[in-house]
Amino acid sequence: YNARLKVVYDTIENYPKPVIAMIDGYCIGGGLNLATCADFRIASAKSKFSMPAAKLALGYPFDAIRRLIDAVGAASAKQLMFSAKSIDADTALKLGLVQEVVGEEELAARVEEISKTIAGNAPLTVAAMKFISTQVMHPDPSARDLDRCNEMVATCFASKDYVEGRKAFMEKRKPDFKGE
C-alpha cells in the first residue's frame, strides 16, 4: 500500500507541469499529503486541515513529513503533527499551507483563472521553473540535476518566445508564446 502511494505522490510532486490542489472541505491525513504534493493549494473557506496520525498511532514516511515541512516550516508542521488538531482555512493560509482562501462558490472559477494565467505564460519558462523548483527542494542535494537546470534556462534565452516576450513587453501587448 505505502509503496503504491509513494509512486502516486512522487508522480504528482514531480509532474512536469504545474499542479494546483483545489481543496473544498476536509483535507486530512493522506489527503493532506496529496495536497502538499501540488505546487500550491487554493482552498474554500469551509476547508479544514489536519494530520491525525498521533491520534491513530500511524507513522508517516519521510517524504510526507518533508512535504509538510516544506509547505509550512518545521515548527508549524511539528505542531500539526504532534497535536493532531484540525485547523481552518484561514489558519492554513497564515501558515502558508494554502496560498489563497476563497468562497466555496468561487473556488472552481478561481482555480481555472489561475490555470489559464499559467497556461498563457511562456511554456519553456514555466517548464524550467517547475523543474528547477523540484531540484531546489530535492531532499538529496547530490542528486540534483544542475546541468539540466542550466540547460533549461539557456533554452529559454535562446527561444523565439524570449524574443516575443521582450517585443510584446516593449509594445505593451500580450505575448503570443509558442513554446519555441
Side-chain angles (χ1 to χ4, degrees):
Y1 174 80
N2 284 337
R4 276 190 255 166
L5 275 181
K6 180 176 176 18
V7 170
V8 171
Y9 293 146
D10 289 350
T11 299
I12 293 168
E13 182 177 25
N14 295 301
Y15 194 71
K17 306 251 184 212
V19 176
I20 305 168
M22 181 171 66
I23 303 160
D24 189 23
Y26 289 96
C27 187
I28 298 172
L32 180 59
N33 189 18
L34 181 63
T36 61
C37 293
D39 294 303
F40 55 93
R41 293 151 292 283
I42 311 298
S44 71
K46 75 175 187 182
S47 297
K48 304 279 186 210
F49 303 82
S50 82
M51 184 180 275
K55 289 183 179 178
L56 303 170
L58 298 175
Y60 274 77
F62 175 87
D63 283 331
I65 305 294
R66 174 188 53 79
R67 283 189 283 271
L68 184 60
I69 289 172
D70 285 346
V72 300
S76 292
K78 289 175 187 178
Q79 184 178 21
L80 286 169
M81 292 184 295
F82 299 163
S83 73
K85 291 193 176 184
S86 180
I87 60 171
D88 62 19
D90 288 333
T91 303
L93 179 64
K94 289 175 189 165
L95 294 178
L97 182 58
V98 299
Q99 285 57 58
E100 289 185 42
V101 175
V102 298
E104 181 180 356
E105 65 286 344
E106 304 165 47
L107 182 61
R110 179 64 183 134
V111 172
E112 184 176 346
E113 178 185 7
I114 293 168
S115 299
K116 286 181 178 179
T117 297
I118 293 169
N121 287 330
L124 296 173
T125 300
V126 172
M129 289 189 289
K130 169 69 184 211
F131 181 77
I132 294 167
S133 66
T134 63
Q135 297 303 295
V136 168
M137 297 177 70
H138 197 291
D140 179 3
S142 67
R144 293 176 180 156
D145 190 347
L146 299 180
D147 289 337
R148 179 148 182 238
C149 292
N150 292 333
E151 177 185 306
M152 292 179 87
V153 170
T155 298
C156 290
F157 280 112
S159 72
K160 292 178 184 175
D161 281 352
Y162 177 65
V163 173
E164 167 62 11
R166 290 185 340 192
K167 186 175 177 184
F169 179 78
M170 297 302 287
E171 295 173 359
K172 297 180 177 25
R173 63 173 172 79
K174 187 178 184 320
D176 181 24
F177 295 123
K178 306 285 187 198
E180 302 172 344

